[in-house]
Amino acid sequence: MDASSPRTLDTEARIALLLIGLSVLAVALAFLWPAFSEFPMDDAYIHFVYARNLAEYGKLMFNVPGEKGVGTSSPLWTFLLAGGHTAGIPLHLLAKALGISALILTAFALYLLLRPLWGTVAALGGALASALSGPMVWFSLSGMETALFLALGLLALLAYRAGRYACMGLLLGLLTLTRPEGLALALGIAIVDLWRLRRVSRSLLLAGFLCALVAVPWFVYVYFRTGYLLPTSGISKHFTATMGARIVAGQNPFLGSLVSLSPLMYLGLWVGYLVEFVLGGMTLPPPRLPVGALAGNPHYTLSLWAIPVLVGMVGPLLWSARRAWSVRRWAVAIHDPFRRPWVVFLLWLVLHNVSYAFFLPVPGTASRYGAINHVALWTGLVAGLLAWSHRPFLQRAWTLGLALLLAATIVFWNGVYDANLEHMEQVRIAAARYIRNHLPPGEPCAAFDIGAVRFFGERPIIDLYGLVDPEVGDWFFRGEMDRFLLVKGVRCLVLPDRPGTTADGLFEIGTLAGLTNSPLLSLQQLALFEIRPDRWLQGYLPTLNYQAAVAVYRVVPAQSAR
C-alpha cells in the first residue's frame, strides 16, 4: 500500500497514539506510586473547593454565597471537576485522569503537527521527549489545568492547519476559559492569517465570533462580580509577585538591576530555570558547583556533568535548529499549510512569554506558567538533531545523550513530586486536620495558603493572600493586616513559616505582614508542622511552592491579653 494513502497514515497515527499513551501512563504511574490520592501543590485544592461548592450548592464560591472575589483563573477546569463530582467521581481521581489524558492528547497533537515535516519516527520522538520531560509529567499530576491548556492550544493549531475555522474558534474559546492568556494564541492566528491573506476573511471572523461566544460571558461575569476583567486570583498574584521580587532585590543587590527590568528578570529566571531543572544543572549527578551563592542561595548547584552537556550538545543542537525558528523564513512558511501552524506556534510562544514578562514575571510553581516553553525546548532540540543527518555518528551520539538527559529529568522530578507530596501530607494537610479536630467548628481561621486548609479543614477560611478577598490588598499596603484580623473576628491563624527565621523560605511572611510584632494582638503557637530539611529542599528548590513549615496560632487581641 502506498505510504501516502489515508489508511496508512491513519494506521500510523493509531500506533503512535498507542505508544504515546502507554509511555505517558507508565511514567505517570511511576510518579504516582505509592501515593495516588494527594497533590503536590496547594492551588489544586482551591479548584476542588470551588468545584465541590458548585456541584453541591450551585454557586461559584470559596466560602459563602455573595463573596466578591473569584479565586479560580480556570473556569473550564472547575466546571469539569464539578461535573465529575456531581456524577460521583472522586475529585482526586478525576483530576489525575484529566491531567494524564490531557498530556497524552498534547503529545499526540504535537506528533500530528510534526509528522508532515519530520516523518513518523522523528515526530514521535519529538512528541515523546516533550511529554515525558519531568516537569510536564509533574504538571499533569498537579491537579491543575496546565496540561489541558497545552492540549487545547495544539488541537486549535491542528484545526487551523485543516482549515476548520469553526472548530478552531470553539477550541480557542475553551482555551481562554482554561487560562485567560490563551488569547495570545488567538491573536497569533489572527496576525498570521491577516499577514497571509492581506484581509480579514469570513472564516477568521467566524472563528473570532465563536471564540468570543464561548469566552466573553466569563469575563463579563468576572467584571460585574469583582470590578476587574481578570479573576482576583490573577490580580493578587500580580501584586504578590511584584512585591516579592522587590523584597528579594532589596536583600540581594546582585538581583536589584534585574528586578528593575521585569522582561530581563523574566528571561534570566527562565534561562536559569531550564539550565538547572531540565538541562542537567541539578538533574545530573555530582560533583557540583554552588552557583546559587551568587544569588544568595547556596542550595542551588550546577552539576559538573551539565557543563559538557550544555556546551557540547544542547548549545550545538539549538544553534542547528535556528533555521527552523528564523523569522526570515516565516514569509515563505506561512504559505505552506504544514509549516504555517508552526509560524503561529512561534508567535504564540513570543506573545505568551511577553504577557507574563510584564504582568507576572515569574516562571510559576514548577514553571507551570510557561509550560509551552518546555514544548518549544524539546521540539527545538529534536529539530537540531535532525539537522545533523549528514553526520550520522554524531547524530546517534547526541540522540543517546538526549535520551539520557530526558531520563535524568524524569528521575529527578519523580523525587521532587514525592517530596512535594510528603510536604503536603505532613505539613499543610496535617495543619488543616489539626484545625478541624482541635478547634471549635465556628471559630474563624485565616491563612495565606487557603486551598488545603479549606478543603481538609472543612470550615470557611479568611483569605490573607487576596485570591478570594480583593480587599486584603488595601489592608496590607496600609500596614493594617493585624487590624484586618480583628475586624474579621479571626481567632486562628495559619502561617507558612517557622517563627523568627527566614532560613525556611524567601522571607518570613508573618513579620512581613506585621502580625508577629503587632501592638494590637499577640500570637500563641498551638502547633507546628514540618518535614526534614533535606526533603523540604528537594521539593522546594524546583518549585518555590512552599515554606519549610506551617504554624497554627491562637490570635489573642491585645485587650484580651491584658
Side-chain angles (χ1 to χ4, degrees):
M1 182 177 292
D2 181 60
S4 63
S5 70
R7 183 176 179 182
T8 301
L9 293 177
D10 187 65
T11 301
E12 291 176 353
R14 290 179 181 179
I15 295 173
L17 178 59
L18 179 63
L19 292 174
I20 289 171
L22 291 176
S23 301
V24 170
L25 192 59
V27 175
L29 289 175
F31 270 61
L32 289 172
W33 181 264
F36 290 88
S37 298
E38 306 308 340
F39 294 86
M41 62 181 302
D42 189 73
D43 286 2
Y45 295 102
I46 297 178
H47 284 293
F48 288 2
V49 171
Y50 273 104
R52 186 172 62 184
N53 287 340
L54 183 60
E56 296 178 1
Y57 303 107
K59 303 287 186 180
L60 190 65
M61 64 181 189
F62 188 78
N63 284 315
V64 295
E67 61 191 14
K68 184 178 180 181
V70 177
T72 171
S73 299
S74 182
L76 180 61
W77 187 250
T78 302
F79 296 155
L80 290 173
L81 293 176
H85 185 70
T86 302
I89 304 174
L91 285 171
H92 68 280
L93 292 180
L94 179 61
K96 286 186 167 64
L98 287 174
I100 294 171
S101 300
L103 185 59
I104 292 172
L105 196 56
T106 296
F108 186 57
L110 186 60
Y111 161 79
L112 293 177
L113 287 168
L114 290 171
R115 185 174 64 175
L117 304 177
W118 290 2
T120 299
V121 175
L124 182 59
L128 285 175
S130 297
L132 298 181
S133 172
M136 293 285 283
V137 181
W138 194 99
F139 298 150
S140 71
L141 301 176
S142 67
M144 299 294 287
E145 74 289 340
T146 310
L148 178 63
F149 179 80
L150 290 175
L152 289 172
L154 294 176
L155 287 174
L157 288 178
L158 281 174
Y160 177 63
R161 186 180 73 180
R164 300 175 61 182
Y165 280 76
C167 180
M168 181 189 74
L170 294 174
L171 287 168
L172 289 174
L174 294 175
L175 179 69
T176 306
L177 289 183
T178 306
R179 296 288 308 174
E181 59 268 27
L183 288 173
L185 177 56
L187 179 60
I189 290 174
I191 291 173
V192 170
D193 234 39
L194 289 172
W195 182 9
R196 178 173 66 96
L197 300 174
R198 309 298 182 187
R199 59 182 176 83
V200 180
S201 66
R202 291 183 178 180
S203 298
L204 187 61
L205 287 175
L206 173 63
F209 171 76
L210 292 175
C211 176
L213 187 66
V214 173
V216 166
W218 166 250
F219 292 101
V220 173
Y221 167 78
V222 169
Y223 179 77
F224 279 102
R225 177 168 166 174
T226 69
Y228 301 100
L229 283 175
L230 293 176
T232 48
S233 58
I235 302 297
S236 170
K237 289 187 176 183
H238 167 71
F239 285 114
T240 304
T242 303
M243 179 189 66
R246 290 174 180 173
I247 293 173
V248 173
Q251 296 173 348
N252 189 322
F254 177 77
L255 300 176
S257 57
L258 288 178
V259 172
S260 62
L261 296 172
S262 60
L264 183 61
M265 180 184 74
Y266 181 77
L267 179 61
L269 286 174
W270 262 107
V271 171
Y273 191 91
L274 292 176
V275 167
E276 283 285 81
F277 302 115
V278 180
L279 299 176
M282 295 192 72
T283 61
L284 293 175
R288 302 181 182 278
L289 296 173
V291 293
L294 296 174
N297 192 330
H299 298 297
Y300 288 99
T301 61
L302 181 73
S303 168
L304 290 181
W305 296 101
I307 297 175
V309 167
L310 292 167
V311 176
M313 183 177 69
V314 172
L317 289 180
L318 292 180
W319 179 256
S320 300
R322 72 190 186 281
R323 292 186 61 194
W325 307 90
S326 173
V327 176
R328 296 178 181 178
R329 298 169 61 89
W330 289 12
V332 176
I334 63 170
H335 297 290
D336 182 337
F338 295 117
R339 286 179 169 79
R340 189 182 310 135
W342 286 104
V343 176
V344 175
F345 177 86
L346 294 175
L347 195 55
W348 178 25
L349 180 70
V350 171
L351 293 173
H352 180 95
N353 282 284
V354 166
S355 65
Y356 268 99
F358 285 97
F359 183 77
L360 194 58
V362 292
T365 305
S367 71
R368 70 185 183 92
Y369 293 159
I372 185 177
N373 295 339
H374 293 277
V375 176
L377 173 66
W378 286 99
T379 304
L381 288 171
V382 177
L385 197 63
L386 295 176
W388 284 84
S389 58
H390 61 289
R391 299 285 297 275
F393 175 78
L394 195 56
Q395 187 183 52
R396 286 193 294 269
W398 279 342
T399 300
L400 177 61
L402 281 183
L404 293 175
L405 184 62
L406 180 64
T409 69
I410 294 173
V411 173
F412 175 83
W413 279 90
N414 191 358
V416 171
Y417 184 82
D418 290 343
N420 295 152
L421 292 189
E422 183 177 332
H423 181 272
M424 290 298 301
E425 291 172 347
Q426 298 183 20
V427 178
R428 292 194 178 184
I429 295 174
R433 288 174 173 154
Y434 174 87
I435 291 171
R436 183 188 65 196
N437 297 329
H438 293 85
L439 300 181
E443 188 171 83
C445 280
F448 283 91
D449 298 302
I450 59 176
V453 173
R454 174 70 177 92
F455 187 78
F456 293 98
E458 298 180 358
R459 69 175 63 207
I461 298 295
I462 305 300
D463 171 30
L464 300 181
Y465 194 58
L467 299 176
V468 175
D469 189 347
E471 297 178 358
V472 172
D474 296 331
W475 292 87
F476 181 86
F477 286 114
R478 291 199 304 264
E480 296 182 334
M481 288 294 285
D482 50 355
R483 190 178 300 276
F484 175 79
L485 295 185
L486 297 180
V487 169
K488 294 293 184 179
V490 172
R491 294 297 177 265
C492 160
L493 177 64
V494 184
L495 285 182
D497 54 22
R498 186 184 289 103
T501 178
T502 58
D504 302 328
L506 294 176
F507 38 76
E508 188 182 356
I509 295 178
T511 301
L512 183 65
L515 299 177
T516 57
N517 52 1
S518 167
L520 301 181
L521 54 83
S522 62
L523 302 179
Q524 298 177 358
Q525 183 176 305
L526 299 177
L528 180 68
F529 302 91
E530 56 187 335
I531 59 175
R532 294 197 332 256
D534 60 315
R535 292 293 286 167
W536 166 65
L537 282 171
Q538 185 178 2
Y540 168 78
L541 293 177
T543 63
L544 291 179
N545 190 28
Y546 45 72
Q547 307 283 78
V550 165
V552 181
Y553 297 94
R554 169 73 62 195
V555 178
V556 181
Q559 186 175 10
S560 300
R562 287 195 298 269

